[in-house]
Amino acid sequence: MLNEKTKKIGFISELKRRKVLQTCAFYIFGCWFFLQIGDILFPVISSDENKIFLYLLYGMAGFFPAVILMSWFYQISTSGIERTHAFIERRMTSNIPPINDRRRNPEKTTNNEDYIWTITAQSGPLKGLSYGVSGPLVIGRSLDCDLTIISPQISRKHAQLTLNNDLLSVEDLGSANGTMINGESVEGVQLLHNEDKLQFQEIMFQINRNYNKERNSNTAENATVLFSRNESD
């Protein structure tokens, strides 16, 4: 019983994600609005307005299943009609684990203090999740990427973050839509700074630098050096 209820909730969520219910509501409203206008114009066009009205009503009702089917597979966006990608759960990808999502493994969840650099998704499929950068990090649509973003705006291998001597840089990997920092296109390898906005079309990440982590690391290194000198004395 519980399993059936879970499946039902999942199906309703998928309908919302694909905007099927929203599309159907717009279609019904559009048909109603068109018929209201037709109620005024049909008597002028033809003497048998009732017959025309009835044919249109049947046609709209007959086309309704096609609207449902089309809205399941396609969506209308600002860039035109796009095919809706099948939902892929995050655990199916090879994403590095988010540092602020305890649903995966609460015991192994880290926090921002463990990394000098973190990135936080402010929009898109990963909105609200933060990731620590500890080495090269490839961002793209491919499931083989370190950080997979399932979106038509993202290329298979879109961009790469590189950490070198505590400096973080980004490089566009020849993506179709390009990579931007604070609204400006990235050309070649470009350094990132604290609170920079890393953008892939409408998908945006905020870059954060943890200066406390750097101070703690420097303190630990100095303590080690002093300890070693005392030992040698």
Side-chain angles (χ1 to χ4, degrees):
M1 181 70 179
L2 183 60
N3 191 26
E4 292 180 359
K5 186 176 181 180
T6 303
K7 289 181 179 179
K8 185 177 180 181
I9 294 174
F11 178 70
I12 294 174
S13 298
E14 187 68 1
L15 287 175
K16 291 180 179 178
R17 185 183 75 88
R18 293 174 180 266
K19 298 181 179 180
V20 174
L21 301 178
Q22 183 179 351
T23 302
C24 291
F26 276 122
Y27 178 76
I28 292 173
F29 176 78
C31 290
W32 174 84
F33 184 75
F34 183 78
L35 290 175
Q36 294 303 310
I37 296 177
D39 192 38
I40 300 173
L41 297 178
F42 292 162
V44 179
I45 298 173
S46 174
S47 58
D48 197 357
E49 66 273 11
N50 292 332
K51 193 173 183 179
I52 297 176
F53 188 90
L54 192 61
Y55 283 155
L56 281 175
L57 189 61
Y58 286 155
M60 292 174 178
F63 192 68
F64 187 67
V67 171
I68 297 176
L69 189 64
M70 291 176 64
S71 61
W72 178 268
F73 291 105
Y74 297 94
Q75 289 186 13
I76 300 176
S77 65
T78 53
S79 57
I81 299 176
E82 299 178 348
R83 184 175 177 84
T84 305
H85 289 263
F87 179 73
I88 301 177
E89 294 187 13
R90 289 175 186 155
R91 65 171 179 266
M92 296 293 290
T93 68
S94 56
N95 275 4
I96 59 175
I99 61 179
N100 61 340
D101 188 355
R102 297 183 177 273
R103 293 172 296 177
R104 294 191 175 206
N105 193 337
E107 296 180 359
K108 293 185 178 181
T109 300
T110 57
N111 54 58
N112 296 38
E113 301 299 324
D114 296 322
Y115 299 94
I116 294 178
W117 292 95
T118 59
I119 61 173
T120 301
Q122 295 189 324
S123 60
L126 304 179
K127 182 179 180 180
L129 295 181
S130 298
Y131 299 87
V133 182
S134 57
L137 192 153
V138 177
I139 300 174
R141 195 177 69 246
S142 172
L143 300 183
D144 297 329
C145 293
D146 302 304
L147 189 59
T148 302
I149 306 175
I150 307 299
S151 170
Q153 302 175 16
I154 303 294
S155 297
R156 289 184 59 79
K157 289 190 176 180
H158 199 107
Q160 177 173 315
L161 299 179
T162 302
L163 186 63
N164 186 16
N165 294 329
D166 295 343
L167 296 177
L168 186 64
S169 61
V170 62
E171 179 183 7
D172 186 85
L173 300 178
S175 65
N177 295 321
T179 302
M180 302 183 74
I181 299 177
N182 302 326
E184 297 184 1
S185 297
V186 171
E187 296 182 1
V189 179
Q190 188 167 333
L191 286 177
L192 291 165
H193 303 88
N194 186 43
E195 296 186 352
D196 274 351
K197 304 294 185 183
L198 181 62
Q199 192 171 353
F200 314 106
Q201 290 287 90
E202 297 178 359
I203 298 174
M204 182 180 294
F205 288 84
Q206 176 166 308
I207 308 298
N208 296 297
R209 182 164 186 165
N210 182 11
Y211 294 100
N212 291 330
K213 172 68 175 177
E214 294 181 77
R215 285 195 288 269
N216 292 337
S217 299
N218 293 333
T219 303
E221 289 176 3
N222 293 334
T224 303
V225 171
L226 291 173
F227 182 75
S228 299
R229 288 177 179 174
N230 291 334
E231 271 192 333
S232 61
D233 294 340

